Amino acid sequence: MARERKFNTVELFQEAKHLLLQHGYDGFTFSLLADRMEISRAALYKYYDNKENLITDFMIYEMEDFLHDLKEIDKLEGFEQQFDFLIDVIFKKTELHELIKAAQHVMDRTEAAFTNKEKLKKLPLDMYKFLQRFILLGKDEGKLKSHIPDGLIIGFILQTVAIPNHFGIPKAEWIHSIKEIITQGMFINK
Amino acid sequence: MARERKFNTVELFQEAKHLLLQHGYDGFTFSLLADRMEISRAALYKYYDNKENLITDFMIYEMEDFLHDLKEIDKLEGFEQQFDFLIDVIFKKTELHELIKAAQHVMDRTEAAFTNKEKLKKLPLDMYKFLQRFILLGKDEGKLKSHIPDGLIIGFILQTVAIPNHFGIPKAEWIHSIKEIITQGMFINK
Amino acid sequence: MARERKFNTVELFQEAKHLLLQHGYDGFTFSLLADRMEISRAALYKYYDNKENLITDFMIYEMEDFLHDLKEIDKLEGFEQQFDFLIDVIFKKTELHELIKAAQHVMDRTEAAFTNKEKLKKLPLDMYKFLQRFILLGKDEGKLKSHIPDGLIIGFILQTVAIPNHFGIPKAEWIHSIKEIITQGMFINK
Amino acid sequence: MARERKFNTVELFQEAKHLLLQHGYDGFTFSLLADRMEISRAALYKYYDNKENLITDFMIYEMEDFLHDLKEIDKLEGFEQQFDFLIDVIFKKTELHELIKAAQHVMDRTEAAFTNKEKLKKLPLDMYKFLQRFILLGKDEGKLKSHIPDGLIIGFILQTVAIPNHFGIPKAEWIHSIKEIITQGMFINK
DNA sequence: AATGAATGAGCGTTCATTCAT
DNA sequence: TATGAATGAACGCTCATTCAT
């Protein structure tokens, strides 16, 4: 009955991700996005009331996607297998980290407490809680040192993704070495 | 007979750092800076042709300052002492990390290739090269695993500072645990 | 076999009046109107080429409605009865005044000279001319001072409706006092 | 020390008045004003933080100007002289009425309670209070009918200025007739 | 050396209007 | 007939930057 849409949400989120990673929250503009999608800025406002909404909508989509991938972890038996899987998932979604940074901008700057923001606040916590089960398993199985705080273990693992590979070491070697440091440390045991 | 200068560079960099950390690159404005220094925006333009220049100048200053601190490492005997020192320096200058993020904005976004940016690009590499001597020492002393790439070791250490302490674990415990993971890993050795 | 029309003109004018009074000319938008009528904005464009047309159409309808009411005046015998009737009609349609204000916006601001606007310009004059018969009667009957210009008498009466009742004097008393001033003045006759 | 200003406040208020009268609050835009003054929109923002501020500033200036003129009334002896003076002042500042209408827009629409708005709210009340002294005098001297509410008397007088002179009756005659109606009414006394 | 004045470009947002189904 | 999709122009506002004193 109406005209056919010139773009779909998936495409929009793709471009939004690209721009958000490249320019950050403030550098992300409707002009930029509209230009890339070859639509008018106004068109975007048909679907998102404002910049904040667009970005939080996208963030939620992205985080849920990550969580979804992550939840596959439960299908694996034993801590060590799960650990390997976790590292892989994290490195598959390298960008999420950057996005979370951008997300914080949204939260810090605007007062209004929308449902979107509530959701967004909950998602990282969900993730932490979810991963805590995994940590627990590791500690139960006697694999993980029990005296190291859970939050640090999780944070540590998640953060490795952000280590800059300045010398272009091949990905496989890179990840392998990271796993080794995380598990056994970089020091030689005597 | 010239009028007395109303501001000195040290104060300027101090305020710039404060604002950059508080508002990020885009949120950093000449108005804000001029207001805090109680001079006019126009005055800033006498010393810095544009925002980019001001920020890169400051970045260089900050990085050199960090490098300067870092170089004290050579005064210490033995790898393990140096390692402890390194962690301490890094955690003393936590903000540098944030600043480097802001710096990337400058580099990524603006086209013009100034000497300033060239310098800025080189500094992290300088730092890496400098730390490589430290890594070498660790490997020579048989403390550091020799098969792990130097770049990863350095990156890993530097990155720990960015792990978010979501659960507010006390700083001393936090750093201690981080050291343990880095050196011995989070897995229990059988 | 045509689809049933989703809106009728009467409802449209009702809602238009409501919105025009509430938001003024500039605050009146097609979105607002379409929302209230539960149709799409586009649908309105089937009937009215543009905002201006819609509003002038409505204005004409409203004014003619007022004129229609007003013409009942002829059914009354004698000037004094007609005078009372006139005041009542005016106060019954207090909003018309506001609407006329809004109407002026249309006339002043937009260049294009449509038939609608011509009509709209003529209506107040029609009203004036019509009321002149009433003034004439008053003067003939020796009730109205003959040396006061007709236009002023009419204007004066019509304008009273716009006097702001800042202190919330009860309507009956208010109107009564107005009538007294109009007829006998506010000064005490010696 | 700095560049010479391209415009002064008086000129600005003049143009603002013009535009406000012609277009009303919503129709008044910074573009329009800047164009007329041949400066950039941005320049206006150096002096007025936002549209609301500019307009309220101007309103206050205008109202205070009117009040200032009005207060000369006290220098005249006797109610009748004061009455004549009042009518003259009002007709000299015909536009004020329109401006007050526009002012109401500002008040109605924006929530924030600035000092400017407080002032603006008080000014009409000041005027009313001030005129009440004049009304009191008239009633004391036995010139004004004491049973007509003060608010109506004041409102009535102020409103006459808005009667549209559709037939272009000469100003002197117009004002003279208005005075007669106000004081003696339009009816012939028997 | 320092400043207030001024500007142009850009941003987020809204709205009247047009298009294609 | 009616609609959702899309757009361009404009608005309020901010900011980096330049100018003239």
Side-chain angles (χ1 to χ4, degrees):
Chain A
M1 223 170 173
R3 192 140 80 158
E4 205 187 348
R5 282 188 59 161
K6 282 181 71 178
F7 67 96
N8 58 53
T9 307
V10 175
E11 186 196 344
L12 185 138
F13 281 170
Q14 234 165 251
E15 303 291 3
K17 183 199 243 170
H18 181 98
L19 291 173
L20 222 42
L21 290 173
Q22 194 170 41
H23 300 100
Y25 182 80
D26 290 291
F28 176 98
T29 74
F30 270 49
S31 301
L32 242 38
L33 183 54
D35 279 2
R36 280 185 72 94
M37 303 186 63
E38 292 182 309
I39 56 168
S40 69
R41 260 175 315 159
L44 291 170
Y45 280 93
K46 295 283 145 165
Y47 303 94
Y48 303 93
D49 283 352
N50 50 51
K51 180 174 165 172
E52 206 183 316
N53 263 219
L54 190 155
I55 288 182
T56 50
D57 266 25
F58 157 67
M59 296 283 195
I60 288 167
Y61 166 86
E62 199 68 12
M63 280 208 157
E64 281 177 347
D65 185 44
F66 177 71
L67 268 179
H68 177 264
D69 278 17
L70 196 57
K71 278 176 179 158
E72 295 293 306
I73 207 174
D74 279 340
K75 295 189 179 151
L76 296 170
E77 290 284 321
F79 174 75
E80 299 212 38
Q81 275 196 71
Q82 289 194 0
F83 179 82
D84 282 351
F85 174 82
L86 178 59
I87 299 282
D88 287 350
V89 170
I90 290 170
F91 273 86
K92 212 172 279 160
K93 301 262 173 178
T94 323
E95 340 82 14
L96 196 72
H97 240 82
E98 290 296 311
L99 291 176
I100 288 172
K101 276 271 153 65
Q104 245 120 29
H105 262 256
V106 192
M107 331 278 296
D108 291 354
R109 286 249 270 267
T110 28
E111 302 294 325
F114 294 97
T115 34
N116 251 5
K117 288 229 225 98
E118 291 305 308
K119 247 190 190 170
L120 210 47
K121 260 181 218 161
K122 260 183 233 131
L123 277 167
L125 297 180
D126 280 5
M127 199 175 71
Y128 264 69
K129 270 181 205 150
F130 179 81
L131 288 178
Q132 247 163 342
R133 290 222 312 270
F134 157 77
I135 301 301
L136 199 62
L137 179 63
K139 290 186 173 177
D140 276 355
E141 288 190 14
K143 302 265 169 55
L144 275 179
K145 293 175 178 170
S146 56
H147 61 279
I148 300 180
D150 296 357
L152 176 55
I153 295 183
I154 298 170
F156 214 103
I157 296 174
L158 293 175
Q159 198 63 19
T160 54
V161 91
I163 301 169
N165 188 346
H166 281 314
F167 301 107
I169 291 149
K171 196 169 182 184
E173 188 192 340
W174 184 255
I175 293 183
H176 185 267
S177 290
I178 282 178
K179 273 189 197 166
E180 178 171 355
I181 299 181
I182 291 177
T183 56
Q184 309 299 333
M186 49 178 68
F187 278 26
I188 291 165
N189 288 312
K190 310 258 168 88
Chain B
M1 252 342 182
R3 264 205 259 191
E4 209 191 340
R5 284 184 56 155
K6 280 189 72 179
F7 76 89
N8 60 63
T9 309
V10 175
E11 188 199 344
L12 184 129
F13 283 167
Q14 234 167 250
E15 302 291 2
K17 183 199 230 166
H18 181 99
L19 291 173
L20 222 39
L21 289 172
Q22 193 170 42
H23 300 101
Y25 181 79
D26 290 285
F28 176 97
T29 74
F30 269 53
S31 302
L32 245 44
L33 183 56
D35 279 4
R36 284 183 72 96
M37 302 190 61
E38 293 182 310
I39 56 167
S40 70
R41 257 169 314 162
L44 289 171
Y45 278 93
K46 294 287 152 180
Y47 299 91
Y48 302 95
D49 282 356
N50 51 48
K51 182 173 165 172
E52 206 181 318
N53 264 215
L54 190 155
I55 287 181
T56 48
D57 263 28
F58 157 67
M59 295 286 194
I60 289 167
Y61 166 87
E62 198 68 14
M63 279 211 155
E64 282 176 346
D65 184 48
F66 178 70
L67 265 179
H68 176 265
D69 279 17
L70 198 57
K71 280 176 178 160
E72 295 293 304
I73 208 173
D74 279 342
K75 295 187 180 157
L76 295 169
E77 290 285 320
F79 174 76
E80 298 214 36
Q81 274 196 71
Q82 290 193 359
F83 177 82
D84 282 351
F85 174 82
L86 178 59
I87 298 282
D88 287 351
V89 171
I90 290 170
F91 273 87
K92 211 170 279 160
K93 300 258 173 181
T94 324
E95 337 89 16
L96 198 73
H97 240 84
E98 290 295 313
L99 291 177
I100 287 171
K101 275 274 148 63
Q104 244 123 32
H105 266 256
V106 191
M107 332 279 294
D108 292 354
R109 228 134 89 179
T110 30
E111 303 296 326
F114 296 95
T115 37
N116 253 3
K117 287 222 233 119
E118 289 306 308
K119 247 190 186 172
L120 210 46
K121 256 182 222 160
K122 260 184 236 132
L123 276 165
L125 297 181
D126 281 3
M127 199 175 69
Y128 266 68
K129 272 180 203 149
F130 177 80
L131 287 176
Q132 249 166 338
R133 292 223 309 272
F134 155 77
I135 301 300
L136 199 62
L137 179 63
K139 290 188 173 174
D140 276 354
E141 288 189 14
K143 301 267 170 53
L144 276 179
K145 293 176 178 169
S146 57
H147 60 280
I148 301 181
D150 297 355
L152 176 55
I153 295 182
I154 299 169
F156 213 102
I157 295 173
L158 294 176
Q159 199 62 20
T160 55
V161 86
I163 302 169
N165 188 347
H166 281 315
F167 300 107
I169 292 150
K171 196 168 182 185
E173 187 192 340
W174 184 255
I175 294 183
H176 184 266
S177 290
I178 282 178
K179 273 189 197 167
E180 178 172 354
I181 300 181
I182 292 178
T183 56
Q184 310 298 334
M186 50 175 69
F187 277 27
I188 291 165
N189 289 312
K190 307 269 168 78
Chain C
M1 253 337 185
R3 265 204 258 190
E4 206 190 344
R5 284 182 56 153
K6 281 190 70 178
F7 75 90
N8 60 61
T9 309
V10 176
E11 188 199 346
L12 183 129
F13 283 166
Q14 233 166 250
E15 303 291 4
K17 184 200 230 165
H18 181 98
L19 291 173
L20 222 38
L21 289 173
Q22 194 171 40
H23 299 100
Y25 181 80
D26 290 285
F28 176 98
T29 74
F30 269 52
S31 303
L32 245 42
L33 183 56
D35 280 2
R36 284 183 73 94
M37 301 189 61
E38 293 181 310
I39 58 169
S40 70
R41 257 168 315 162
L44 288 170
Y45 280 92
K46 294 288 153 178
Y47 299 92
Y48 303 94
D49 282 355
N50 51 47
K51 181 173 166 173
E52 206 182 319
N53 265 216
L54 190 154
I55 287 182
T56 49
D57 263 29
F58 157 67
M59 295 286 193
I60 289 167
Y61 166 86
E62 198 68 13
M63 279 209 156
E64 280 176 348
D65 183 47
F66 177 71
L67 266 180
H68 177 264
D69 278 17
L70 198 58
K71 279 177 179 160
E72 294 293 304
I73 209 174
D74 280 342
K75 295 189 180 155
L76 294 170
E77 289 286 318
F79 173 75
E80 298 213 35
Q81 275 197 71
Q82 290 193 358
F83 177 82
D84 283 350
F85 174 82
L86 177 59
I87 298 284
D88 286 351
V89 170
I90 290 170
F91 274 87
K92 211 170 280 159
K93 299 260 173 178
T94 323
E95 338 88 14
L96 196 72
H97 240 83
E98 290 296 312
L99 292 176
I100 287 171
K101 275 276 148 61
Q104 245 122 32
H105 266 258
V106 191
M107 330 279 295
D108 292 355
R109 224 132 92 179
T110 28
E111 305 295 328
F114 295 96
T115 36
N116 253 3
K117 286 221 235 123
E118 290 305 309
K119 246 192 188 170
L120 208 48
K121 260 183 218 161
K122 260 186 234 128
L123 276 166
L125 297 181
D126 280 4
M127 198 176 68
Y128 265 68
K129 272 181 203 148
F130 177 79
L131 286 176
Q132 250 167 337
R133 292 223 309 273
F134 154 77
I135 301 302
L136 199 62
L137 179 63
K139 289 186 172 177
D140 276 355
E141 288 190 14
K143 300 267 170 54
L144 274 179
K145 292 175 179 170
S146 57
H147 61 279
I148 300 180
D150 296 357
L152 176 55
I153 294 181
I154 298 169
F156 213 103
I157 295 173
L158 293 175
Q159 198 62 19
T160 56
V161 87
I163 301 170
N165 188 348
H166 281 315
F167 300 104
I169 292 150
K171 196 170 182 183
E173 188 192 339
W174 184 255
I175 294 183
H176 186 266
S177 290
I178 282 178
K179 271 190 198 167
E180 178 172 352
I181 299 181
I182 292 178
T183 56
Q184 309 300 334
M186 49 176 68
F187 277 26
I188 291 165
N189 289 312
K190 307 265 168 77
Chain D
M1 221 165 174
R3 193 142 78 160
E4 206 188 347
R5 282 189 59 161
K6 282 182 70 179
F7 67 96
N8 58 54
T9 309
V10 175
E11 186 196 345
L12 185 138
F13 282 171
Q14 236 164 249
E15 303 291 3
K17 183 199 241 171
H18 182 98
L19 290 173
L20 261 173
L21 290 172
Q22 194 170 42
H23 300 101
Y25 183 80
D26 291 291
F28 177 97
T29 75
F30 269 50
S31 301
L32 242 39
L33 183 55
D35 280 2
R36 281 184 72 93
M37 303 186 63
E38 291 183 307
I39 56 168
S40 70
R41 260 176 315 159
L44 290 171
Y45 280 95
K46 292 283 145 164
Y47 303 93
Y48 302 93
D49 283 352
N50 51 50
K51 179 174 165 173
E52 206 183 317
N53 263 219
L54 190 156
I55 288 183
T56 50
D57 265 26
F58 158 68
M59 296 283 195
I60 288 167
Y61 166 86
E62 200 68 13
M63 278 209 158
E64 280 176 348
D65 185 45
F66 177 71
L67 267 179
H68 176 264
D69 279 16
L70 196 57
K71 277 176 179 159
E72 295 292 305
I73 208 174
D74 279 341
K75 294 189 180 155
L76 296 171
E77 289 285 320
F79 173 75
E80 298 213 39
Q81 275 196 70
Q82 290 193 359
F83 178 83
D84 282 353
F85 175 81
L86 177 60
I87 299 282
D88 287 350
V89 170
I90 290 170
F91 272 86
K92 211 171 280 161
K93 302 263 171 176
T94 324
E95 337 83 12
L96 196 73
H97 240 82
E98 290 297 310
L99 291 177
I100 288 172
K101 276 271 154 65
Q104 244 120 31
H105 262 256
V106 191
M107 332 276 297
D108 293 354
R109 287 248 271 264
T110 28
E111 303 293 327
F114 295 96
T115 34
N116 252 5
K117 288 229 225 98
E118 289 306 307
K119 246 191 190 170
L120 210 48
K121 258 182 217 159
K122 261 184 231 130
L123 277 167
L125 296 181
D126 280 4
M127 199 175 71
Y128 262 68
K129 270 180 205 151
F130 180 81
L131 288 177
Q132 246 163 342
R133 291 222 311 270
F134 157 76
I135 302 299
L136 198 64
L137 179 65
K139 289 187 173 177
D140 276 355
E141 288 189 14
K143 301 265 168 57
L144 276 179
K145 292 175 177 170
S146 57
H147 60 278
I148 300 180
D150 296 357
L152 177 55
I153 295 182
I154 299 170
F156 214 102
I157 295 173
L158 294 175
Q159 200 62 21
T160 55
V161 91
I163 301 169
N165 187 347
H166 281 315
F167 300 109
I169 292 149
K171 196 171 182 183
E173 188 191 339
W174 184 256
I175 293 182
H176 185 267
S177 291
I178 281 180
K179 274 188 197 167
E180 179 172 353
I181 299 181
I182 292 178
T183 56
Q184 309 300 333
M186 50 177 65
F187 278 26
I188 292 165
N189 288 312
K190 308 265 169 80

